Amino acid sequence: MTSAMEPHAAWQKRYERERKARLEAEAIAEKSTRELYELIQNLKKAAAELRQAKEAAQAASVAKGNFLANMSHEIRTPMNAIIGMTELVLDTELTDTQHEYLAMVREAGNSLLSLLNDTLDFSKIEAGKLELDSDVFGLRERLGDAMKSMAFRAHGKGLELAYHVHSEVPDALLGDASRLRQIVVNLVGNAIKFTTQGEVVLDVACTSQTDATADIHFTVTDTGIGIPANKLESIFDSFEQADMSTTRQFGGTGLGLAISSRLVELMGGRIWAESEPGRGSGFHFTVKFSLAAERPSEAQPPQTVFPHDVRALIVDDNATNRLILNEMLSNWGMQATSVATVAEGLAALRAAYDARQPIHLVITDCHMPGEDGFDLAEKINRNSQLADIQLIMLTSGSEPDDIRRCEQLGVVAHLLKPVKQSELLDAIGLALGLQVTEAEMPLEEARKLGALRILLAEDSIVNQKLALGLLQKHGHDVTVANNGKQAVAAIDGECFDLVLMDIQMPEMDGLEATAVVRAKEMKSGRHVPIIALTAHAMAEDRERCLKAGMDGYVSKPIRARELFDTIAALIATEVPAQSGKTPPAMQGQATTEPATSADALIHWTVALQTAQGNQDFLKELVQLLLEESARLFVEIHAAIKEQDAKTLQRAAHTLKSSLKALGASSVAQAAERLETIGRENRLSDANAAASLLHQRFDPLKIELLAFLAGETTIA
Ligand code: ADP
């Protein structure tokens, strides 16, 4: 029994041992699981806390950005009032001391305002709220305007300010022009601020170009104090200045470059600086712009050329200016030479005269060391051999007397430096008796137009002459109005095929005049095509013109190709083989017989078929068409004005169907074009198409009215 118990006890003992061990292992496992669970819980909690902290930090940063943005925005309003009111008081009678104190208030106000603007921009960028616009703009014109706005500051310090856009740089770009201006103004402003002597130059080159984009490299160089090598990178950080001790001398906050560098980044480019302390700095930035597909002709530098035998001499002591002017003139096909002094200039003029190659045009800087531009003008005037020379003077605008002296000396034009290409082109046109021609004259388009009666509303004598020259050369009959009021009166009294309307005119501007004309046309049912003459090729300008009821636009200075292409696009189809001066709107007026040719406005046989051969019913249909079309035209114009593509499509469609039913197929085609424009949402083409529709519909209306009056008999 004992022996039988023995193994059992041993087994039990082992069992107990194993059970204990198992229990212990289980306890350990349970403890570890619990500990692991706790660890995971703790980790989760820590992660949640971390996330919360991060979110709180982000929210705080956004809130800080928003607060800064809101505050700086809010402070700007009273700030503007303070500056504005101070300016008003400054215009009243004050003692010298009062004037001095208030001038200081205004100055302090202005610096505070620019600081606010910087803070607003910076906080907007930091809060990720700054969005770039994308519009078509003309690079040369925009940069020219920006540089001109800095001219006063530069010339006030006796600095030369120049800008040079290389000829290969495309002009019509798509991007945010005002932010580009901000960067340029900041860099050029700094360059002027930190330079006491010499020049500040903006150079613009194209480093690579595809069919769709262009990489543009901007460089602003100066001959100023320079920046130490160890500061070249940090100056792009916010609130960093190369030399804090200069703050008092030059002012500033250290935000300008930080903003510029963020803006360049947003534009997909790079910004950097190089400098040699004591010799000057060069600030570079690159931007990749899309090319504006809308205006391919503008994507090239201006094609205008002068006759090859025009010889020009440039007299300027500044080598950069000589280079820039020389390049511009050569690009326009002139024979240009340049010299640095008045003595050299006179020698060159005499030598050219002796060689029977006289110089036609002199472009001279006004202020030069030693003998200046006025001395040159006087000497040219005194020499009878040089009497035919035309003079253009480049002034810095700092001397109020300059303009009067220019006039006394018979200078054709005086231009404020830095000169914009478009201004120089206009001035040369004026100086040379407007011998502006095009590289290739658009004879084909011009010939197709026949002779038109055109009203030219333009206050600038130069542009009047230029446009008159171009238009009359092609046989058009041109009436001139000097302002918007005169234009409206002329359109009231006479029937024109086309109006060329300047935008900025005294008395009544072009937009207002167009609105008046269009309002009157609501009653008369007529529609005279109006082409705007705009100083800028900016998309927003074009939008404004089209919204005001204009049908197209041409940018100034007027170039023959662009002008005739635009006119042709608007009305060429309407005057195919016309030789006389009958305006398109008058066609068909003499129709007493039903038209039968292929170009007939209305196929009466088709119309009669639609009316089931019943003349009375046809009269009812015609009456209905007239009433319906009047309503639909109102709808079409409202839809274009409100940019409502759907309504435009529907109204044009209804009109097309009615016209087709009555066999007025060419007018129906014009309506169909408008319908397609609505469907494809191409509203920028709508005004031109609506104008064409009007031109075709007007004579049809006359014929329909003649039919209703019983003047037309249908076999
Ligand atoms: P601010 O001009 O308001 O101080 P910026 O951010 O525009 O701020 O410039 C930062 C600093 O970079 C300036 O304070 C100056 O020290 C240096 N700097 C910028 N441009 C030039 C320049 N053209 N020549 C010399 N120093 C410059």
Side-chain angles (χ1 to χ4, degrees):
M1 177 96 190
T2 342
S3 63
M5 285 297 289
E6 196 76 32
H8 180 75
W11 178 83
Q12 195 156 21
K13 225 171 162 185
R14 210 177 79 224
Y15 171 77
E16 278 302 324
R17 213 172 40 237
E18 282 176 5
R19 196 173 76 95
K20 209 172 144 201
R22 203 177 61 240
L23 284 175
E24 272 171 18
E26 272 175 11
I28 291 172
E30 199 184 310
K31 193 173 163 230
S32 313
T33 310
R34 205 170 43 247
E35 279 173 0
L36 203 63
Y37 177 76
E38 274 168 19
L39 192 69
I40 290 171
Q41 287 306 312
N42 285 342
L43 273 175
K44 271 189 178 167
K45 209 171 135 204
E49 279 169 7
L50 215 61
R51 198 168 45 241
Q52 256 176 12
K54 188 177 150 227
E55 280 168 7
Q58 275 173 341
S61 160
V62 171
K64 194 185 75 188
N66 282 339
F67 173 75
L68 262 179
N70 288 339
M71 277 314 285
S72 32
H73 185 77
E74 288 304 317
I75 302 172
R76 265 198 327 181
T77 316
M79 210 52 234
N80 278 321
I82 293 172
I83 296 170
M85 291 300 159
T86 311
E87 269 169 2
L88 283 182
V89 184
L90 272 169
D91 277 343
T92 61
E93 219 168 285
L94 298 168
T95 66
D96 285 353
T97 321
Q98 283 172 332
H99 195 277
E100 193 186 330
Y101 290 171
L102 278 175
M104 282 161 81
V105 172
R106 180 180 54 185
E107 195 156 307
N110 278 328
S111 16
L112 199 52
L113 194 63
S114 80
L115 172 62
L116 279 171
N117 286 337
D118 276 358
T119 315
L120 182 62
D121 275 346
F122 190 71
S123 47
K124 260 196 200 160
I125 295 174
E126 292 293 280
K129 278 193 171 168
L130 192 117
E131 280 180 16
L132 295 177
D133 285 343
S134 184
D135 270 327
V136 181
F137 67 96
L139 183 69
R140 285 168 181 76
E141 201 67 17
R142 277 288 167 121
L143 289 178
D145 289 340
M147 293 302 278
K148 274 203 187 286
S149 73
M150 313 296 287
F152 188 70
R153 274 167 70 186
H155 297 148
K157 290 182 82 176
L159 301 175
E160 195 68 49
L161 182 65
Y163 84 106
H164 179 207
V165 183
H166 293 233
S167 56
E168 84 282 356
V169 179
D171 199 55
L173 303 176
L174 202 61
D176 194 328
S178 62
R179 293 295 175 184
L180 174 66
R181 177 195 166 101
Q182 190 178 355
I183 302 168
V184 168
V185 164
N186 178 244
L187 297 185
V188 173
N190 275 348
I192 295 172
K193 183 157 82 170
F194 295 106
T195 305
T196 45
Q197 202 184 339
E199 61 180 29
V200 171
V201 183
L202 167 67
D203 186 89
V204 185
C206 180
T207 47
S208 69
Q209 188 177 343
T210 67
D211 285 346
T213 61
D215 292 307
I216 316 264
H217 183 158
F218 301 80
T219 313
V220 177
T221 46
D222 64 54
T223 50
I225 61 170
I227 304 160
N230 62 345
K231 291 283 179 186
L232 274 177
E233 297 222 340
S234 64
I235 48 167
F236 292 102
D237 296 338
S238 47
F239 304 108
E240 274 294 330
Q241 295 182 318
D243 179 356
M244 295 299 187
S245 65
T246 57
T247 311
R248 197 165 305 140
Q249 184 187 349
F250 298 109
T253 53
L255 269 182
L257 286 179
I259 293 171
S260 295
S261 86
R262 302 285 206 288
L263 287 175
V264 170
E265 250 170 52
L266 281 174
M267 291 179 173
R270 208 160 70 78
I271 189 166
W272 71 100
E274 56 198 15
S275 183
E276 222 179 300
R279 306 201 59 164
S281 314
F283 279 81
H284 301 256
F285 70 95
T286 57
V287 178
K288 190 190 269 304
F289 283 107
S290 295
L291 299 178
E294 283 173 53
R295 314 202 58 205
S297 62
E298 280 260 316
Q300 295 300 322
Q303 286 293 306
T304 312
V305 294
F306 293 89
H308 277 287
D309 50 2
V310 170
R311 282 175 293 272
L313 176 73
I314 298 151
V315 186
D316 196 324
D317 60 311
N318 182 281
T320 311
N321 272 342
R322 289 201 298 275
L323 199 88
I324 296 170
L325 290 169
N326 220 322
E327 192 187 297
M328 277 192 208
L329 300 189
S330 306
N331 281 344
W332 292 329
M334 301 170 80
Q335 295 177 38
T337 42
S338 60
V339 294
T341 64
V342 169
E344 284 174 296
L346 285 168
L349 292 176
R350 278 192 217 109
Y353 179 84
D354 293 342
R356 294 175 185 273
Q357 302 256 299
I359 283 170
H360 306 100
L361 176 73
V362 170
I363 301 177
T364 177
D365 187 12
C366 171
H367 297 286
M368 288 184 283
E371 285 185 300
D372 63 11
F374 295 116
D375 297 322
L376 178 63
E378 265 164 27
K379 288 187 175 167
I380 289 176
N381 278 350
R382 256 186 265 136
N383 186 331
S384 58
Q385 289 175 345
L386 307 180
D388 290 339
I389 289 177
Q390 303 292 321
L391 250 168
I392 293 176
M393 190 88 83
L394 309 183
T395 72
S396 59
S398 48
E399 300 288 331
D401 209 26
D402 283 356
I403 294 169
R404 189 187 50 79
R405 287 181 74 192
C406 281
E407 277 160 11
Q408 278 173 354
L409 289 165
V411 170
V412 189
H414 43 83
L415 305 172
L416 183 72
K417 292 193 293 180
V419 189
K420 288 200 285 186
Q421 218 169 345
S422 59
E423 287 174 330
L424 190 61
L425 196 63
D426 279 352
I428 296 176
L430 182 65
L432 298 179
L434 303 160
Q435 298 163 10
V436 187
T437 59
E438 287 282 313
E440 302 158 67
M441 280 302 281
L443 284 176
E444 271 309 301
E445 289 300 346
R447 220 181 287 134
K448 270 194 238 154
L449 288 171
L452 300 174
R453 280 172 51 182
I454 299 178
L455 174 70
L456 171 68
E458 165 71 68
D459 65 316
S460 141
I461 307 287
V462 179
N463 280 319
Q464 268 183 17
K465 280 193 189 166
L466 188 57
L468 268 174
L470 275 174
L471 295 168
Q472 286 173 340
K473 195 150 120 198
H474 289 94
H476 302 298
D477 181 2
V478 188
T479 305
V480 175
N482 290 306
N483 59 46
K485 263 193 184 157
Q486 283 183 11
V488 172
I491 295 168
D492 265 351
E494 242 182 284
C495 188
F496 293 100
D497 300 330
L498 174 74
V499 178
L500 296 176
M501 182 87 82
D502 184 22
I503 299 298
Q504 275 163 6
M505 288 186 289
E507 304 259 353
M508 185 189 271
D509 71 20
L511 299 176
E512 216 183 320
T514 304
V516 175
V517 171
R518 293 291 179 244
K520 291 189 176 192
E521 285 175 348
M522 281 289 207
K523 287 185 207 128
S524 68
R526 282 186 49 83
H527 183 95
V528 60
I530 300 181
I531 294 178
L533 303 175
T534 73
H536 299 284
M538 257 55 78
E540 66 261 33
D541 287 319
R542 198 189 53 181
E543 284 305 310
R544 276 196 313 144
C545 296
L546 299 184
K547 271 197 186 134
M550 292 171 156
D551 306 290
Y553 77 102
V554 170
S555 56
K556 288 201 278 187
I558 300 163
R559 293 183 196 99
R561 170 170 289 280
E562 202 188 346
L563 178 66
F564 286 119
D565 279 355
T566 312
I567 298 179
L570 264 180
I571 54 177
T573 41
E574 204 48 33
V575 235
Q578 231 178 303
S579 54
K581 286 183 180 175
T582 318
M586 304 287 277
Q587 287 174 42
Q589 213 166 29
T591 312
T592 49
E593 293 288 332
T596 49
S597 77
D599 294 337
L601 291 163
I602 178 163
H603 288 273
W604 285 114
T605 39
V606 177
L608 199 57
Q609 270 169 21
T610 306
Q612 291 139 32
N614 183 333
Q615 294 243 11
D616 288 337
F617 183 36
L618 181 56
K619 276 195 177 161
E620 265 176 49
L621 287 180
V622 166
Q623 186 65 44
L624 268 177
L625 174 67
L626 285 171
E627 284 165 15
E628 185 187 38
S629 59
R631 183 178 56 76
L632 289 171
F633 270 119
V634 172
E635 254 179 55
I636 285 171
H637 285 292
I640 295 175
K641 202 166 162 217
E642 278 149 30
Q643 302 279 293
D644 179 354
K646 266 214 167 112
T647 309
L648 175 65
Q649 180 193 347
R650 195 186 36 71
H653 175 83
T654 313
L655 188 57
K656 176 195 79 178
S657 309
S658 309
L659 288 163
K660 261 198 180 157
L662 287 183
S665 44
S666 92
V667 195
Q669 253 173 25
E672 188 168 6
R673 188 190 289 190
L674 206 53
E675 180 190 355
T676 313
I677 286 172
R679 188 178 331 109
E680 293 172 0
N681 202 357
R682 287 185 288 114
L683 284 161
S684 55
D685 298 333
N687 267 312
S691 164
L692 181 72
L693 176 59
H694 267 291
Q695 285 171 46
R696 292 192 180 176
F697 188 81
D698 286 349
L700 171 69
K701 191 169 152 187
I702 292 165
E703 188 157 339
L704 294 178
L705 288 169
F707 169 70
L708 288 181
E711 290 166 24
T712 312
T713 38
I714 302 166

